[in-house]
């Protein structure tokens, strides 16, 4: 997953559901572009903004869900969009979650790339009782990693 970020991080990047910004902060490349963070929780958005500003890139944050159109404040024409470890947290079936890709595609540049990963399986059943899904039954769940380019 970190390799996808290193390879595909564009000069103008949207990170949907950035969490702590670990992937962006650890991409180990000189980055002096623009990053827009989009998420529902203002606490990790603020933390990740501070974390990435220390690296010298221009960072902004917008409140938004992948199930809704990307807020106008985020802008358009992104060279890359990261969607790491988000889709398994979104309610609904994968068919219902597909609208997220439609919304993100609308703000992706013609030569842009969307990359990301998610956990496969029923995560809700795995986290009951407060247990970490990565430790269930002594093994890690399957993780899907993908890169989607424009046609």
């Amino acid at each position: 997953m970190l390799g996808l970020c290193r390879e595909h991080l564009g000069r103008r990047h949207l990170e949907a559901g950035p969490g702590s910004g670990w992937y962006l902060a650890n991409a180990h490349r000189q980055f002096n572009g623009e990053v827009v963070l989009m998420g529902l929780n203002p606490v990790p958005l603020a933390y990740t903004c501070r974390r990435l500003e220390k690296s010298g890139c221009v960072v902004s944050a917008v409140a938004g869900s992948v199930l809704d159109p990307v807020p106008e404040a985020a802008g358009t024409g992104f060279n890359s969009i990261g969607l790491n470890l988000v889709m398994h947290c979104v309610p609904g079936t994968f068919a219902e979650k597909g609208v997220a890709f439609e919304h993100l595609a609308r703000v992706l540049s013609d030569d842009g790339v969307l990359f990301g990963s998610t956990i496969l399986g029923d995560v809700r059943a795995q986290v009951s009782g407060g247990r970490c899904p990565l430790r269930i039954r002594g093994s890690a769940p399957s993780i899907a990693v993908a890169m989607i380019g424009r046609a």
Side-chain angles (χ1 to χ4, degrees), residues 65-140:
S65 166
V66 296
L67 294 178
D68 298 322
V70 175
E72 285 185 31
T76 61
F78 291 98
N79 305 112
S80 60
I81 297 176
L83 188 64
N84 281 299
L85 300 174
V86 172
M87 295 306 287
H88 64 276
C89 298
V90 176
T93 66
F94 271 92
E96 294 166 332
K97 297 176 189 190
V99 70
F101 298 102
E102 294 173 25
H103 294 314
L104 294 172
R106 288 187 186 115
V107 298
L108 191 63
S109 67
D110 288 342
D111 61 346
V113 64
L114 183 146
F115 62 90
S117 59
T118 195
I119 297 174
L120 300 176
D122 187 357
V123 176
R124 290 169 297 156
Q126 295 176 358
V127 296
S128 63
R131 297 180 292 170
C132 174
L134 299 179
R135 291 183 283 172
I136 301 302
R137 296 183 209 99
S139 64

Side-chain angles (χ1 to χ4, degrees), residues 53-66:
E53 285 170 344
K54 291 177 186 176
S55 70
C57 64
V58 176
V59 185
S60 61
V62 296
S65 166
V66 296

